[in-house]
Amino acid sequence: MCIATKNGNSNITNTTITKGKEHHRNRSTSSALQRMAPLILSGYLFNTLCYFLLYTILPSNLTPVPKYCPLDNPHCKRHGLLAFQLVSLLNLSYLGLLGVYTFFISKRALNELPQTPQGRYFGNVLTEGRVLLPEADWICAVIVIFQGWDFVVSMFFEEHCTRIMMCHHFLAFICGFFCLVYEVNPFYAGKHETCSFHRHALSC
């Protein structure tokens, strides 16, 4: 049985969960992945253009800390690493801020979906041409964009091309990809990415 939200949102009923289960059992050829495909492709292009733009406009007199440059190379600038970190910060900021907005400001994550395990899993269904919580699709799409882009670009930076980080990017990409295929959202609407803000800001 579907339990209504604590806010007294009585319009969320068993019907939503039933539709969601039927939707996952009898899905049409259209999926969140297909709906988000243009955004994902545009996101890869956007991140790449942002990287090269930042690389070009960063001041030439920036000096990285010694741990990022060999001591015998006085011309080392590492503009590429800084541009990479700034693009990563941009992606993480979008995820985190959208999650905070969806949960705590608009409260759509609480009001649009049944607040039960079944409701959170099956509730975000395509109904009359729209999904109940499009932010869930946006989060998963940006996860696919960021983690896929980060995986490729990290190969060019030894600080990021470590076994644990590459596995992290790969598994997060796979998770986001199949969340779009099966239309579920385990990313808590991006709120967890707020914990990455300070780490990327300090590394810049």
Side-chain angles (χ1 to χ4, degrees):
M1 179 178 294
C2 175
I3 302 173
T5 63
K6 295 180 180 179
N7 294 341
N9 188 357
S10 59
N11 64 337
I12 299 177
T13 65
N14 289 339
T15 305
T16 304
I17 295 176
T18 302
K19 286 182 179 179
K21 290 180 178 178
E22 292 175 353
H23 174 70
H24 282 75
R25 284 197 298 264
N26 305 305
R27 289 189 308 120
S28 64
T29 56
S30 177
S31 69
L33 179 62
Q34 290 172 298
R35 296 195 302 270
M36 293 291 107
L39 173 63
I40 293 172
L41 295 176
S42 299
Y44 288 133
L45 179 61
F46 175 79
N47 278 352
T48 304
L49 291 177
C50 281
Y51 171 82
F52 284 110
L53 176 63
L54 288 168
Y55 183 87
T56 303
I57 66 175
L58 284 173
S60 58
N61 59 350
L62 289 177
T63 303
V65 295
K67 72 175 182 177
Y68 292 120
C69 275
L71 295 177
D72 58 349
N73 185 3
H75 303 292
C76 175
K77 296 297 183 183
R78 301 304 304 273
H79 284 60
L81 179 60
L82 179 56
F84 170 65
Q85 291 284 9
L86 289 172
V87 175
S88 297
L89 181 62
L90 179 64
N91 284 252
L92 292 170
S93 298
Y94 175 85
L95 290 168
L97 293 174
L98 178 59
V100 169
Y101 176 81
T102 305
F103 263 82
F104 301 115
I105 300 176
S106 71
K107 298 185 178 180
R108 284 174 46 79
L110 303 176
N111 297 329
E112 295 294 329
L113 300 181
Q115 296 302 292
T116 63
Q118 296 98 329
R120 287 176 180 270
Y121 191 88
F122 295 112
N124 196 34
V125 297
L126 186 64
T127 305
E128 297 180 353
R130 62 178 292 271
V131 293
L132 296 178
L133 190 66
E135 292 89 339
D137 289 346
W138 301 342
I139 289 291
C140 288
V142 176
I143 287 288
V144 170
I145 293 168
F146 174 54
Q147 298 296 346
W149 186 84
D150 206 340
F151 181 89
V152 174
V153 178
S154 291
M155 296 179 184
F156 300 94
F157 299 99
E158 59 181 351
E159 295 88 355
H160 293 269
C161 193
T162 62
R163 187 174 302 173
I164 188 170
M165 288 306 299
M166 298 301 279
C167 286
H168 160 74
H169 294 318
F170 176 75
L171 293 175
F173 173 88
I174 292 296
C175 187
F177 178 86
F178 282 105
C179 284
L180 288 174
V181 171
Y182 294 103
E183 299 179 304
V184 296
N185 183 39
F187 286 107
Y188 305 100
K191 297 196 310 300
H192 68 295
E193 297 297 356
T194 55
C195 69
S196 301
F197 290 176
H198 71 282
R199 179 171 62 84
H200 274 76
L202 290 174
S203 65
C204 290

